[in-house]
Amino acid sequence: MTNPVLVEVLRGAVVESLHRGAVAVCDGEGKLVWEIGDTAKPVFPRSAVKAIQALPLVESGAADAYGFGDRELALACASHSGEPEHVETARSMLARAGLDETALECGVHWPGNHAATIALARSGGVPNALHNNCSGKHAGFLCACRHSGVAHRGYVAAGHELQDMVRDAMEAVTGAAHDADHCGVDGCSIPTYAVPLRSFAAGFARMATGTGLGPVRANAARRLLSACMAEPFMVSGTGCADERLMKAAPGRIFVKMGAEGVYCAAIPQLGLGIALKCDDGAIRAAEITIAGVLAKLLAKDEDLAGNLHGQAIQPILSRNGVKVGEMRPGGALVEQL
Amino acid sequence: MTNPVLVEVLRGAVVESLHRGAVAVCDGEGKLVWEIGDTAKPVFPRSAVKAIQALPLVESGAADAYGFGDRELALACASHSGEPEHVETARSMLARAGLDETALECGVHWPGNHAATIALARSGGVPNALHNNCSGKHAGFLCACRHSGVAHRGYVAAGHELQDMVRDAMEAVTGAAHDADHCGVDGCSIPTYAVPLRSFAAGFARMATGTGLGPVRANAARRLLSACMAEPFMVSGTGCADERLMKAAPGRIFVKMGAEGVYCAAIPQLGLGIALKCDDGAIRAAEITIAGVLAKLLAKDEDLAGNLHGQAIQPILSRNGVKVGEMRPGGALVEQL
């Protein structure tokens, strides 16, 4: 099936570009309460499931042993923008486990935050693996290995004991089999598994409610989502959509973007999980879509819904800073809002 | 109608993302010789038509009066990446008309080329309007104004004499009316008009062949396309698709990207023009599509077609530089290749 239009990009009065995709909203029992498009099709969740991938860090006792609070747990679930606070927090997480950035196997890239890149270059510096947007997740992986007595070298590879723990957590929480036929390698070198989009929505409803997870996992899940909601900057960075959306309703909205147009989210008070994927992989469209979906689900709180609806409409500016267009919910998303 | 899939993005063996769009191939008479998807729908060409927009620079006599060669004419048609050669050439074009960067009204952004941005920051510099990817086009606009005795201030606005000249050239070459209802503002602040995609394909066939343009315009068109094909670096930048594609067959392929997933191209020896637009605005997909379309149209030259087909398949690398997927022609594009 062809997924419907979710987002339209206008220049002046003309629709210049369109984005299609699918949205699933589930409860903790796995019941689909709302969907747009094909939510049964397997998709790679990419970084949108980092909070689930961080469960072994907490469940193993490593997070407590190393004294991690909300900031460290949020960074373990983050795609951060390489700003100094992110880098220093990742460094300190590793130090508590007796490691440094040379243990990270995520690769190196310049900070996602432009000002951080310029400042690093101006200081004569070059990036290292701590600047990688996944360094917090990888620091969490390494801490889980160290605390559990697992040799950490090669921890990114499918088949390493740590990745088995991560996959087991993913399967248990999403309820979907993670098999080798649907396994790819993520940008930071760890395995990523394509499973039905709706399974991720169900998984994040379970992360928020604990439904069916058992007490240890349910507690770890709540701690991780609470940490992200308490420290949205650590999950993302200055001006990022994740920070903006979680700041709109502290403690009431969890969101996490993933590469190639994915978002996962949860609204704990409603017991709902959300997962969406834009067919074309556009993160700009995923940001509009998640804001629009949250506005719909939280419509009863008019102030909050107004804020979220505002975030679902983003101006397009010329290089002189003049508004020349906008991105907004369109097609199936607007019909259902 | 829903446009068909042109490009698929794989991670491992799984299709992770898809891009839809339309492709038109026309001759100089305006006859559609090949199409995929809806080529009658109006689209904004954005920067893909800079060579047509540069016609007044040549036709007015300004290019000759200021002694512009291939490098300057190519830069006037460019979306350059802000590397030092681009910046210095734009500066020198303005200087010949007695102007400097303060006359540019395109706005300021950091260089598109990452290494150029890092080098600029390391040197303690900040970007100015010369680093804007459109500075060559704007320098050409300013030179056309100066040589023609037109007051240049406000030259970016619809209704300015220079923009009337540009619009008249666009209408004459594409054969499509450019009306206010389909006018938007481009990122560099000049008007951009949405007209049927196939009109741009016909326009570039005319640019390459001179069909119906009259001798002065036909000569100016040939000079501009020849300059771009002779200096592909000046049209784009290090490692850019435009440079790669034009270098594959010097003098035989003209290509120009445009924002929001547009490409225009010409194959002078075949008398054909090409225009394509990816629905979602993804430039990565437009790059794959144009390489695939050129490979098909030039299939008789096996070596060249092999090179172009290779350019139509681009690896996706992890942050450790390991191949984890690829982008390649898919759906309608692959069925017709």
Side-chain angles (χ1 to χ4, degrees), chain A residues 66-324:
Chain A
Y66 298 126
F68 291 167
D70 284 347
R71 291 165 59 82
E72 291 81 9
L73 292 181
L75 196 71
C77 303
S79 297
H80 67 72
S81 49
E83 295 173 75
E85 274 186 84
H86 302 125
V87 172
E88 288 315 310
T89 305
R91 192 193 310 277
S92 113
M93 289 170 70
L94 289 169
R96 292 194 221 177
L99 297 171
D100 65 19
E101 64 265 27
T102 60
L104 293 169
E105 298 180 14
C106 51
V108 175
H109 63 81
W110 285 84
N113 179 275
H114 186 71
T117 283
I118 298 304
L120 183 58
R122 285 229 168 96
S123 73
V126 291
N128 60 44
L130 293 168
H131 297 88
N132 185 307
N133 76 85
C134 300
S135 69
K137 175 178 74 173
H138 283 249
F141 286 165
L142 285 162
C143 289
C145 288
R146 292 282 279 182
H147 180 71
S148 308
V150 173
H152 62 80
R153 195 151 173 200
Y155 71 90
V156 294
H160 186 280
E161 194 171 339
L162 185 275
Q163 293 304 331
D164 287 346
M165 293 161 69
V166 170
R167 190 200 55 216
D168 290 350
M170 287 293 307
E171 287 191 324
V173 172
T174 62
H178 282 47
D179 61 63
D181 285 353
H182 291 84
C183 184
V185 177
D186 213 323
C188 68
S189 297
I190 72 161
T192 180
Y193 295 86
V195 309
L197 186 63
R198 61 177 64 159
S199 302
F200 298 119
F204 275 92
R206 293 181 191 118
M207 289 289 284
T209 61
T211 307
L213 296 186
V216 173
R217 177 153 287 167
N219 184 53
R222 267 193 298 266
R223 274 181 71 184
L224 287 162
L225 294 203
S226 296
C228 292
M229 292 189 285
E231 296 286 350
F233 170 81
M234 296 306 283
V235 179
S236 52
T238 304
C240 293
D242 287 12
E243 190 196 29
R244 275 193 282 110
L245 289 163
M246 288 197 276
K247 274 188 171 171
R252 295 171 59 201
I253 294 173
F254 166 82
V255 295
K256 180 67 189 71
M257 59 75 68
E260 291 293 330
V262 176
Y263 253 95
C264 286
I267 305 176
Q269 72 186 94
L270 301 180
L272 297 176
I274 305 157
L276 66 90
K277 157 92 181 165
C278 295
D279 294 352
D280 54 65
I283 188 63
R284 69 177 187 181
E287 291 174 356
I288 299 296
T289 305
I290 188 66
V293 169
L294 289 168
K296 173 190 162 74
L297 295 172
L298 291 159
K300 283 186 186 165
D301 182 337
E302 287 183 19
D303 287 349
L304 175 56
N307 176 328
L308 294 166
H309 191 69
Q311 293 198 43
I313 302 176
Q314 293 290 330
I316 294 173
L317 306 179
S318 75
R319 295 296 188 176
N320 286 316
V322 175
K323 184 182 170 188
V324 296

Side-chain angles (χ1 to χ4, degrees), chain B:
Chain B
M1 78 181 265
T2 299
N3 281 325
V5 171
L6 299 177
V7 171
E8 55 189 25
V9 181
L10 280 92
R11 182 164 300 267
V14 179
V15 175
E16 181 169 27
S17 300
L18 290 171
H19 297 277
R20 296 173 181 274
V23 181
V25 182
C26 288
D27 65 19
E29 305 291 342
K31 191 184 145 207
L32 199 53
V33 300
W34 185 38
E35 69 174 330
I36 301 175
D38 182 357
T39 67
K41 190 184 163 204
V43 302
F44 288 119
R46 310 291 303 274
S47 291
V49 293
K50 281 177 173 168
I52 305 177
Q53 293 171 328
L55 285 169
L57 170 67
V58 179
E59 293 171 2
S60 68
D64 286 333
Y66 298 126
F68 292 167
D70 284 346
R71 290 166 58 83
E72 290 81 9
L73 292 181
L75 196 72
C77 303
S79 297
H80 67 72
S81 49
E83 295 173 74
E85 274 186 84
H86 302 125
V87 172
E88 288 315 310
T89 304
R91 192 193 310 276
S92 114
M93 289 170 70
L94 290 168
R96 292 193 220 176
L99 298 171
D100 64 20
E101 63 265 29
T102 60
L104 293 168
E105 299 180 14
C106 50
V108 176
H109 63 81
W110 285 84
N113 180 274
H114 186 71
T117 283
I118 298 304
L120 183 58
R122 287 230 167 94
S123 73
V126 291
N128 59 43
L130 293 168
H131 296 89
N132 184 308
N133 76 86
C134 299
S135 69
K137 176 178 74 173
H138 283 249
F141 286 164
L142 285 162
C143 288
C145 287
R146 292 284 277 183
H147 180 71
S148 308
V150 172
H152 61 79
R153 196 154 173 197
Y155 70 91
V156 294
H160 186 280
E161 193 172 340
L162 185 274
Q163 293 303 332
D164 287 346
M165 292 163 69
V166 169
R167 190 199 56 216
D168 290 350
M170 286 293 306
E171 288 192 324
V173 172
T174 63
H178 282 47
D179 60 64
D181 286 353
H182 290 84
C183 184
V185 177
D186 213 323
C188 69
S189 298
I190 73 161
T192 180
Y193 296 85
V195 308
L197 186 63
R198 60 178 65 157
S199 302
F200 298 119
F204 275 92
R206 293 182 190 117
M207 288 289 284
T209 61
T211 307
L213 297 186
V216 172
R217 178 153 286 167
N219 183 53
R222 266 192 299 266
R223 274 180 70 184
L224 287 162
L225 294 203
S226 296
C228 293
M229 293 189 285
E231 297 285 350
F233 170 80
M234 297 306 284
V235 179
S236 52
T238 304
C240 293
D242 287 13
E243 191 196 27
R244 276 194 281 109
L245 289 164
M246 289 197 275
K247 274 189 172 171
R252 295 170 59 198
I253 294 173
F254 165 82
V255 296
K256 181 67 189 71
M257 59 74 68
E260 292 292 330
V262 177
Y263 254 94
C264 287
I267 305 176
Q269 71 185 96
L270 301 179
L272 296 176
I274 305 157
L276 66 90
K277 157 92 179 165
C278 295
D279 293 352
D280 54 64
I283 188 63
R284 69 178 186 180
E287 291 175 356
I288 300 295
T289 305
I290 189 64
V293 169
L294 289 168
K296 173 192 162 72
L297 295 172
L298 291 160
K300 282 186 185 164
D301 181 338
E302 287 183 18
D303 287 349
L304 175 55
N307 176 328
L308 294 166
H309 191 70
Q311 293 197 42
I313 302 176
Q314 292 290 331
I316 294 173
L317 306 179
S318 76
R319 295 296 188 175
N320 286 316
V322 175
K323 185 182 170 187
V324 296
E326 68 180 24
M327 297 185 285
R328 65 186 189 193
L333 191 55
V334 112
E335 285 154 23
Q336 299 196 31
L337 284 182

